[in-house]
Amino acid sequence: MGGRGSSSHRQTAGSIASIQTFLRNAYGTNHANSVMAMLQNVPTHIREMWEEYASQFRATDMRGGEHGAYYAPMDDSVHLNIREVARGDSIHTPYGTLFHEYGHMTDYLIARSAGQYRYSAYSDLFQGIDAGGKPILRGGSAGGLLGRTAKDELAGHLARIQRQNPTLTTKQAARELTNEAMHKYSMRDRSDISDMLEGAGIGIAYPLGAGHGLDYWDGRGNSKEIFAEIISAEAAHPGSLQAIKDYFPKTYQVYQDMVKARKRK
């Protein structure tokens, strides 16, 4: 038993060193120290994903007045301006965007480690768990279970509002739902569920003040964004995580199933 414990400790220590090395090389010592401190308090499954995949992370610094942040599957790299990300803004907590974008990259790396096509994302392929606890991975036009569950939960909220007021149309119920959520949460805390509602098909652009815009979802599934949003909420935005649990509890459960099952692929 002692030998196994020592081996596990060395592996963990090596993984932590890998994270530190990546962050320092990509973003400098000060930002690396800040992110490492946050990683000490994230849920275990997020820390385990960083320990497993940080050696494969790639970073591209956006300079010269560039704004925004994104993970690009084509060059397999996260593009962001670390100074902006460290500050945060009206809808992002400090470093929340970093966890979001590396959540996207991790999504692709999990699929790749399971032998899937290079440009596939785990969240798009995940359809549930089999009897042995392994993830069921399958592509198709229906998209991943994560996104489908969010759409079902949105439909449930709209039905709830229409039961309360049967005279409302679906569009009117959607407006009532956004008004309800706006009164419950601050702009920053509701930013992730705003994007989740938009991607689930509420039919309102930036429904709670944040999102990608309706055109973004044309021909595109919503599972990848949900996966990254929950990761960043768990790591850096407790107010957003509470909003997600309130409005998308079944979707959050699918996410939990995904991160548990990924190790049994």
Side-chain angles (χ1 to χ4, degrees), residues 2 9 33-34 40 49 59 72 87 125 164 176 186 208 210 212 215 219 239:
H9 176 75
N33 290 343
S34 295
Q40 297 306 307
M49 287 190 287
R87 286 194 299 269
L125 299 173
Q164 295 168 352
E176 284 294 313
S186 69
L208 304 176
H212 283 77
D215 290 346

Side-chain angles (χ1 to χ4, degrees), residues 122 126 128-129 133-135 145-146 250-263:
Y122 179 53
F126 183 84
I129 300 173
K134 294 182 179 180
L145 180 61
L146 193 67
K250 295 178 182 177
T251 305
Y252 183 62
Q253 182 59 58
V254 172
Y255 163 83
Q256 291 180 304
D257 291 343
M258 289 175 65
V259 295
K260 290 176 184 176
R262 75 166 187 92
K263 293 187 289 186

Side-chain angles (χ1 to χ4, degrees), residues 3-69:
R4 288 196 299 271
S6 298
S7 175
S8 174
H9 176 75
R10 285 196 300 272
Q11 182 179 12
T12 300
S15 300
I16 291 173
S18 177
I19 297 172
Q20 290 176 319
T21 298
F22 164 72
L23 289 170
R24 286 172 180 165
N25 289 341
Y27 302 119
T29 299
N30 290 339
H31 294 300
N33 290 343
S34 295
V35 175
M36 289 300 298
M38 295 175 74
L39 282 167
Q40 297 306 307
N41 297 306
V42 301
T44 301
H45 57 262
I46 292 180
R47 188 160 56 251
E48 288 176 343
M49 287 190 287
W50 272 69
E51 288 177 358
E52 183 169 350
Y53 294 112
S55 63
Q56 299 177 60
F57 285 171
R58 293 183 61 195
T60 299
D61 191 19
M62 298 173 69
R63 301 179 184 276
E66 290 183 288
H67 300 284

Side-chain angles (χ1 to χ4, degrees), residues 130-206:
D130 67 17
K134 294 182 179 180
I136 300 169
L137 303 179
R138 184 176 63 250
S141 59
L145 180 61
L146 193 67
R148 295 202 310 275
T149 304
K151 291 178 181 180
D152 289 343
E153 290 198 281
L154 169 59
H157 285 302
L158 297 177
R160 166 177 60 83
I161 289 172
Q162 288 179 304
R163 285 195 301 272
Q164 295 168 352
N165 189 343
T167 65
L168 294 180
T169 65
T170 301
K171 287 184 178 181
Q172 290 170 329
R175 287 294 181 189
E176 284 294 313
L177 179 62
T178 60
N179 289 336
E180 175 187 276
M182 282 183 182
H183 283 90
K184 287 185 177 182
Y185 308 107
S186 69
M187 177 66 187
R188 181 179 271 185
D189 288 350
R190 68 180 184 247
S191 60
D192 285 325
I193 62 168
S194 182
D195 193 57
M196 290 171 70
L197 289 168
E198 187 186 77
I202 197 170
I204 302 169
Y206 313 102

